[in-house]
Amino acid sequence: GRALLVLLLSATVSLLGGLIFGYELGIISGALLQLQIDFHLTCFKQEVLVSALLIGALLASLVGGILIDRHGRRRAILVSNLVLLVGSLILTLARSFIGLVIGRMTVGFAISVSSMACCIYVSEMVAAHQRGLLVSLYEAGITVGILLSYALNYIFAYVDEGWRYMFGLAIAPTAMQFLSILFLPVNPVKLSSWDSDCQKGLIQLQNTEDGAAVKREPYKEKHYSFLDLFKTRDNMRRRTLVGLGLVLFQQFTGQPNVLSYASKIFHSVGFQSNSSAILASVGLGAIKVVATLVAMAFADKAGRRVLLMAGCMVMAISVITIGLTSRVAPLAMARDCKAAADPNASHSFPQPSLTPVSSQPPVSPIPPALGAGKSQADPEFAATRSLTKAFASTQSREVIPQSSLIQKRGLVGQAKEETVGSTGPRFHDAPWAEHMVLNWIMLLSMMAFVSAFSIGFGPMTWLVLSEIYPAGIRGRAFAFCNSFNWAANLLISLSFLDLIDAIGFSWMFLLYGLMGVMAVIFIYLFVPETKGQSLEEIDQQFSRKR
């Protein structure tokens, strides 16, 4: 009974951790539509507000590892819950722009610490044959959290100061996670006594042979310094190479930017106006949820290596297909940011506000001629537009706020105001309307790409990271790789417009395809299979193998 309770509570902690992460990523898209009017936000201020979450997350990835290793995973999650409650209250009660920024930074710090601690804690709490399922549950939680945030964006679009409710509702799952973890024991690897309740619970979760072997020979925890990550001791340098390789390839295969074109591709096959916006986000979001569930089911059967390599191959084929197809049927592009500083300027065509979850869509999801019928003053239209915020971030760790640099390069400079009476090319006159078959191929490739990421790189990267390092340095090592993940995200978003201008849309996608092929080779050569092995066995395997 106790073993089952530990299992269920571990699953709850993992799922709620992901849910909170995804919710905080997605909720800003709808909140920003109201905030830019209530606080008269310029494009730059919208950028700052969106970027605040990243700054907090980067800070957390630099210091969070020390907190996780020194004070334990359980305590780190409890602290992150408290910090998140404070951040949510600051946002809910905010009366100034500075208050909003401080609140978002606080929330960013909390969800980053929580994301690292949750994955490590759950991986250490459960048996080897259940670890893949329960750590992947975190990823599923993120996807569901973003879908939930979109739904609440729509519900509160008509409510006066609805953004306060949007931010405040994060308190509920945070409190639930806090209460769940209070009933879970301290981290097993931190205990020396095998007679404690926690260890009894742990051994019951594992099979009897595992339990007997571990009882005969207790795992001796070694102590490491941060610099040991780059030394040959216990083959730590190779582990660091595996961790950094996975997080960097996860970003450089172009996942965040590929999905920036999602709504445009949906539109090109005939889904017009608001349906294009909803399908591009909710439709792809639903695909992500299903694909992540598939990954959960097969993580402990097929194995991490198989899912990573299969996912990478499909991703590479998909982006190469999109790249080649777009040479024949080019997608029109429009890049701009529309500040709603003047609430009376409702006659101008609204462009999407800055994307909190992923990079700003470099294409306008709805051409002016199709969208001009509704004004910025219409909350329903605004809420539906918020759904187009790219779904790219369902991995954690995939937040790409826009920097002022991007705005200066093109978004502000190319902003164009369209009036209600403006005339633009009708859908059937557009150059890509002639290539309907090719457009459908692009759409199917996009869906395949989303599914492949959610089966491979999405959940498996963080599962492998939570397994390959020794317990004594696991928190700091995870945080070190995580900081590179956030930094790579920022680099991808900063270089996106430059790449488009320098080499063009199709060549950029072909470049992402090449990176996908390189990722397959990297995984084949360097990433070991860890399914069904205890964390101690994985550590010993790495220590022996050169």
Side-chain angles (χ1 to χ4, degrees), residues 325-352:
T325 309
S326 66
R327 292 186 70 79
V328 182
L331 294 176
M333 293 200 315
R335 303 179 295 194
D336 42 14
C337 162
K338 187 79 183 84
D342 179 8
N344 297 319
S346 61
H347 58 274
S348 61
F349 175 70
Q351 290 297 339

Side-chain angles (χ1 to χ4, degrees), residues 59 99 261 291 395 448:
L59 285 172
Y261 282 88
Q395 175 20 302

Side-chain angles (χ1 to χ4, degrees), residues 87-211:
S88 297
L89 285 172
I90 293 171
L91 285 168
T92 306
L93 305 172
R95 295 287 171 193
S96 67
F97 174 69
I98 298 296
L100 290 170
V101 171
I102 293 170
R104 285 300 281 176
M105 279 185 70
T106 308
V107 164
F109 186 92
I111 62 173
S112 183
V113 171
S114 175
S115 70
M116 297 183 289
C118 276
C119 289
I120 295 171
Y121 184 75
V122 172
S123 74
E124 292 172 344
M125 281 306 300
V126 299
H129 66 279
Q130 295 161 329
R131 196 167 56 240
L133 171 71
L134 290 177
V135 177
S136 300
L137 196 59
Y138 187 91
E139 184 72 22
I142 294 174
T143 318
V144 173
I146 292 182
L147 278 175
L148 177 64
S149 71
Y150 285 157
L152 291 174
N153 282 344
Y154 189 82
I155 290 168
F156 289 110
Y158 280 108
V159 179
D160 187 38
E161 291 196 334
W163 54 271
R164 294 190 189 276
Y165 299 100
M166 294 178 195
F167 289 137
L169 282 171
I171 292 171
T174 307
M176 286 170 64
Q177 189 187 34
F178 185 89
L179 292 173
S180 297
I181 207 163
L182 285 178
F183 293 99
L184 277 170
V186 181
N187 218 345
V189 296
K190 290 288 176 189
L191 296 175
S192 55
S193 168
W194 283 95
D195 296 321
S196 69
D197 289 342
C198 168
Q199 296 296 4
K200 287 174 188 168
L202 180 73
I203 291 165
Q204 285 167 13
L205 279 177
Q206 298 172 333
N207 63 46
T208 42
E209 289 177 18
D210 282 351

Side-chain angles (χ1 to χ4, degrees), residues 302-321:
R304 287 67 155 145
R305 255 173 74 89
V306 172
L307 291 179
L308 277 168
M309 289 174 65
C312 270
M313 285 176 188
V314 175
M315 284 169 69
I317 292 167
S318 299
V319 285
I320 289 170
T321 303

Side-chain angles (χ1 to χ4, degrees), residues 8-9 74 103 153 164 198 218 234 273 282 383 428 449 478 537:
L8 290 174
L9 286 174
R74 181 174 178 269
N153 282 344
R164 294 190 189 276
C198 168
D234 292 335
S273 188
V282 178
H428 293 291
F449 184 91
F478 198 106
E537 288 170 341

